[in-house]
Amino acid sequence: MIKVDMWYEDSHTEADKIDVTFYPNDGKYRGNIYKGGKMIGDYVCNNSIELEKTFSQLHFNW
């Protein structure tokens, strides 16, 4: 499950950066979505593979 909340008219596929924080108490990944240095949304996800698939345009270096 991933929930993406875009704050403007952008799409998550336009993101050029995200930040990722893992919260072990509930097993969720949370972070903000960026485009051109501006924060344009946020997300919550419970699976790192789904996170990589959703933001496939980005490179993940776990």
Side-chain angles (χ1 to χ4, degrees):
M1 179 282 307
I2 187 165
K3 181 180 178 208
V4 177
D5 181 19
M6 301 305 294
W7 305 334
Y8 309 105
E9 299 298 318
D10 300 297
S11 168
H12 73 279
T13 60
E14 299 176 69
D16 54 24
K17 176 184 168 185
I18 64 171
D19 50 34
V20 180
T21 304
F22 180 70
Y23 291 82
N25 290 341
D26 64 2
K28 304 251 191 241
Y29 297 86
R30 292 184 171 86
N32 295 306
I33 304 166
Y34 299 86
K35 177 181 170 187
K38 288 180 53 181
M39 204 177 301
I40 59 171
D42 58 22
Y43 69 89
V44 60
C45 183
N46 60 1
N47 184 315
S48 63
I49 301 298
E50 190 167 359
L51 186 61
E52 289 182 6
K53 287 180 182 179
T54 301
F55 295 99
S56 61
Q57 74 275 22
L58 303 177
H59 174 75
F60 289 81
N61 188 15
W62 299 107

